[in-house]
Amino acid sequence: MLMHVTMVGMQTPMIDYLHFLLDSVGTDAGAVASYIPELAHADPDKLAVAVASPDGVVYVAGDADAEFTIQSISKPFAYALAIADQGLDVVLEHIDVEPSGDAFNEISLDPETGRPRNPMINAGAIASHALVRGEDADARVGRILDLCSRLAGRQLSIAEDVFESELSTADRNMALAYMLRTVGTLHGEPTDIVRGYTRQCSVSVTVRDLARMASVLAAGGRTPDGDQAIAPAINRQVLSVMATCGMYDSAGDWLTSVGIPAKSGVAGGLMGVLPGQVGIAVFSPRLDPHGNSTRGVRMFERMNRDLGLHLMDSTDSTRSVARRWEREGVAVHEVMGDLHFVEAERVLRGFAQDPAGDAPVVVDLDRVHRTNDIARRMLLEGIRRLHLDGHEVRIVDPWGVLGSAETGSGELVRGEPARGGYVPTAFPDIVSALRG
Ligand code: GLU
């Protein structure tokens, strides 16, 4: 369920900033897409922005409830499903992952491999759609719609008028599908596949939906409700391809100047994902010559400048990950934040400060909500070594981040995840239990 921001005290400056952002983009250049007749009827002045945090808060401004078709922004999600269904190796045999520098609808394949160059241009997206399991277009689209709905946190539907309109003029995509079949990349009936691909592009969304979908990609494929809708390795593959190929023939310019993996659609939507941080969506129907929303691009450029959102701006999350303190001869390692390799290394460095001996040690993971596999294994190994050094180790792991693995001989003080709220740590009790 989408969480809306309810104000109890001050109004968060986030909302004011988003209004300011809308005001700052000025008047619009470009024209709405007209090769899909129904899109030519879109109100060109609509303007909206939404920013969603991975824990489910969505801030919006402008025409946030205006619905438009997802178009090419569906491509990353269909690609994710194709990988989940077929495995990455099979998908890579059919679709490459190289930026093409081509326009979205270019009729081109790699001359050597015969594969579409990436899943974000139409050739690759039609091939991804065909790799989604399902006996016909409706079955494949049903599964893509289900995935998008899970990510959006509400049941989405198809804009039938836009679908019919695009299908009646889909000659170019039809040509791409026949060409893919000629080179053996497409198994199945091209007309059925283009029908399915076109329906997938006609999923109706708002910026709220897209921002929330983007925030799930930002959170490694996990929804705010804890549903792992996209496996982390697939999520990473999708974001990598968005970063290098998401903005068609302006992908390089985009990655250097805006620095956020993104995907645009010809209805005027634009979705950006800053991994680990935020999902962003904008909507403004007039397009630039690359087929990207003119004011949408401007809003992202502005947000990058104002909010420092570039992917390549590094952070130093390790400095605040752990602190060690002592009480009555018991060393306590208090660990905070999400743990990956670099954070776990910092924690192990803290463990190494404890001189060998039988002094008790507490490892408190109460403020850790997620570890990746390597960080988890590093932590377990550190705990094992503390024990080998002679320490009596107690582990506080209310969220179960260490899983059910052997914890050396560290005793799990609280093994059951206490989900649903912050639980104060039990240090004083543990410390006195150890002393007593
Ligand atoms: N349905 C559109 C097409 O295939 C999507 C293109 C886009 O959004 O860039 O032509």
Side-chain angles (χ1 to χ4, degrees):
M1 216 183 67
L2 282 184
M3 244 162 83
H4 299 281
V5 189
T6 34
M7 302 300 164
V8 283
M10 66 163 205
Q11 153 144 319
T12 157
M14 276 301 299
I15 307 272
D16 294 338
Y17 173 73
L18 294 182
H19 285 289
F20 159 78
L21 180 70
L22 294 184
D23 289 343
S24 76
V25 290
T27 49
D28 212 359
V32 300
S34 57
Y35 74 100
I36 300 173
E38 196 58 34
L39 292 187
H41 303 146
D43 175 354
D45 295 323
K46 286 262 186 288
L47 184 65
V49 58
V51 173
S53 67
D55 61 357
V57 174
V58 185
Y59 299 99
V60 298
D63 301 303
D65 295 315
E67 300 223 352
F68 53 95
T69 49
I70 191 167
Q71 297 298 339
S72 281
I73 307 169
S74 65
K75 292 172 180 175
F77 303 108
Y79 183 57
L81 206 49
I83 299 172
D85 285 354
Q86 309 286 346
L88 181 59
D89 290 346
V90 171
V91 172
L92 288 175
E93 278 166 24
H94 290 78
I95 311 159
D96 214 338
V97 286
E98 295 303 332
S100 67
D102 287 335
F104 71 97
N105 57 1
E106 193 68 29
I107 303 203
S108 77
L109 300 178
D110 186 293
E112 273 165 34
T113 62
R115 285 174 296 183
R117 287 203 172 85
N118 66 67
M120 300 294 115
I121 55 171
N122 285 10
I126 291 169
S128 320
H129 175 88
L131 290 170
V132 170
R133 242 189 308 109
E135 58 195 23
D136 58 16
D138 288 341
R140 290 189 302 273
V141 174
R143 296 193 52 240
I144 295 167
L145 191 62
D146 281 351
L147 176 65
C148 290
S149 302
R150 263 168 92 186
L151 302 190
R154 73 173 183 113
Q155 183 58 50
L156 301 175
S157 60
I158 307 277
E160 297 292 344
D161 47 352
V162 179
F163 163 66
E164 296 293 347
S165 169
E166 181 170 2
L167 194 62
S168 68
T169 57
D171 296 344
R172 204 174 169 92
N173 286 335
M174 212 64 92
L176 278 170
Y178 278 103
M179 187 185 67
L180 289 168
R181 190 166 69 165
T182 313
V183 295
T185 298
L186 199 73
H187 312 287
E189 180 49 50
T191 49
D192 177 62
I193 289 163
V194 171
R195 189 185 137 79
Y197 164 76
T198 309
R199 271 187 93 67
Q200 151 196 330
C201 289
S202 305
V203 173
S204 186
V205 288
T206 65
V207 283
R208 272 183 215 282
D209 298 325
L210 283 183
R212 151 97 187 213
M213 291 160 82
S215 76
V216 177
L217 295 176
R222 191 199 287 245
T223 70
D225 310 320
D227 170 19
Q228 189 72 52
I230 300 175
I234 299 177
N235 197 77
R236 188 182 62 202
Q237 176 75 11
V238 169
L239 286 181
S240 306
V241 173
M242 280 171 61
T244 51
C245 316
M247 298 296 281
Y248 305 130
D249 38 347
S250 67
D253 188 20
W254 176 267
L255 187 59
T256 49
S257 63
V258 177
I260 297 177
K263 189 72 208 82
S264 63
V266 288
L270 180 47
M271 170 186 88
V273 179
L274 192 57
Q277 297 199 31
V278 76
I280 301 174
V282 296
F283 171 54
S284 171
R286 289 199 178 96
L287 306 179
D288 66 18
H290 304 290
N292 300 322
S293 165
T294 315
R295 288 195 293 184
V297 169
R298 239 183 271 157
M299 280 192 268
F300 267 92
E301 285 170 348
R302 174 97 215 197
M303 277 189 275
N304 168 267
R305 281 202 307 278
D306 294 344
L307 308 178
L309 298 178
H310 201 292
L311 189 60
M312 302 304 170
D313 284 337
S314 55
T315 58
D316 185 358
S317 56
T318 63
R319 296 183 86 167
S320 51
V321 75
R323 61 180 186 150
R324 180 186 178 282
W325 46 275
E326 276 183 39
R327 182 184 294 174
E328 297 166 38
V330 178
V332 177
H333 293 274
E334 196 179 350
V335 189
M336 283 153 273
D338 281 2
L339 305 185
H340 303 93
F341 168 76
V342 280
E343 290 88 11
E345 183 277 332
R346 196 77 169 214
V347 174
L348 293 187
R349 230 190 290 167
F351 288 179
Q353 284 175 23
D354 289 322
D358 59 4
V361 171
V362 175
V363 177
D364 178 22
L365 304 174
D366 195 10
R367 290 187 179 80
V368 176
H369 289 153
R370 212 187 296 185
T371 58
N372 69 2
D373 188 50
I374 182 64
R376 192 178 57 82
R377 287 187 288 132
M378 286 166 75
L379 232 60
L380 288 170
E381 178 59 16
I383 290 165
R384 192 181 73 85
R385 288 183 184 209
L386 282 173
H387 175 71
L388 287 181
D389 273 356
H391 298 287
E392 186 182 341
V393 185
R394 296 287 168 96
I395 305 158
V396 181
D397 184 15
W399 307 93
V401 294
L402 290 181
S404 53
E406 253 308 307
T407 51
S409 67
E411 185 186 328
L412 276 171
V413 176
R414 287 185 287 151
E416 282 303 303
R419 294 193 192 280
Y422 172 71
V423 182
T425 59
F427 286 144
D429 298 349
I430 296 163
V431 172
S432 42
L434 283 169
R435 297 312 299 168

